[in-house]
Amino acid sequence: MLTLKRVLYWISAFAIVLVGGSFLLPSQAKVSRSIEIAAPPEQVFAIVGDLRRFNEFWPKADMEGTISYAFEGTESGLGQKLAWQSDNPEVGTGATTIVAYAPPGEVGFRTIAGRERWLSGFVLVPTTAGTSVTWTFATDLIGVPARWFGLLYEGRIGPEYEQGLEKLKAVAEKPASPQ
């Protein structure tokens, strides 16, 4: 009987720490990564502000499997929407819509992929060497499990954004082909 009481005590203590600790954690996960690109903001914005060019720097576009894309909404700017579907479970199915559009300095996206929803975007700032590009991510963490899993976003999203920014840099700095 004493052993059962101890087990129940430890289970209760663990539950209190788990639930109580979640209230000390942030209610939103935020990740951002930056890079310097030797190209003017207008040139970089032409890439990140057009969802038809998203797969040129999206890290998941290189994953194994088939990805199909569909475009809806406006041709460019607010309301432009990219929907994707893949047989690779790491890519999955989802849709991204442009919800903020201020050329050549900022573009924002709302993405829905399965049960996940987040906001992301690019902030472009002119520099003497070209453009400082910051890729941002934010999602609300609703509920106890989400707040604990929120601790993993930096390690999961950060490296993906770094890879995407390196690809964006290569695309934006590529010399124009002669015509």
Side-chain angles (χ1 to χ4, degrees):
M1 189 66 166
L2 185 60
T3 304
L4 181 59
K5 284 184 180 181
R6 284 184 180 163
V7 168
L8 290 175
Y9 169 78
W10 284 108
I11 290 173
S12 297
F14 177 75
I16 289 170
V17 168
L18 183 69
V19 173
S22 73
F23 290 105
L24 300 175
L25 297 173
S27 61
Q28 190 176 61
K30 294 181 180 182
V31 178
S32 69
R33 292 293 188 272
S34 297
I35 196 167
E36 183 82 20
I37 297 178
E42 295 79 14
Q43 187 172 327
V44 178
F45 191 87
I47 301 166
V48 299
D50 185 351
L51 289 174
R52 293 170 296 179
R53 299 193 66 186
F54 197 66
N55 66 338
E56 292 180 44
F57 61 90
W58 186 37
K60 291 187 177 183
D62 295 336
M63 291 185 155
E64 288 187 28
T66 304
I67 303 175
S68 60
Y69 300 98
F71 297 94
E72 302 171 20
T74 62
E75 183 68 22
S76 66
L78 288 174
Q80 185 184 38
K81 181 178 181 180
L82 162 66
W84 73 89
Q85 186 171 358
S86 173
D87 55 7
N88 183 329
E90 288 186 52
V91 177
T93 300
T96 297
T97 305
I98 294 179
V99 294
Y101 193 79
E106 184 176 351
V107 62
F109 310 99
R110 182 183 64 242
T111 301
I112 300 171
R115 296 183 329 174
E116 295 186 58
R117 285 152 174 63
W118 65 88
L119 296 174
S120 62
F122 290 92
V123 176
L124 287 65
V125 177
T127 65
T128 56
T131 306
S132 172
V133 179
T134 301
W135 194 354
T136 62
F137 168 93
T139 187
D140 291 328
L141 303 171
I142 300 169
V144 173
R147 286 191 176 199
W148 284 104
F149 283 116
L151 298 173
L152 304 175
Y153 277 100
E154 182 71 33
R156 191 179 102 199
I157 304 274
E160 184 178 312
Y161 275 24
E162 289 168 9
Q163 181 184 7
L165 287 170
E166 287 295 333
K167 289 177 70 173
L168 175 61
K169 180 179 176 76
V171 171
E173 291 179 352
K174 185 177 180 181
S177 57
Q179 297 183 8

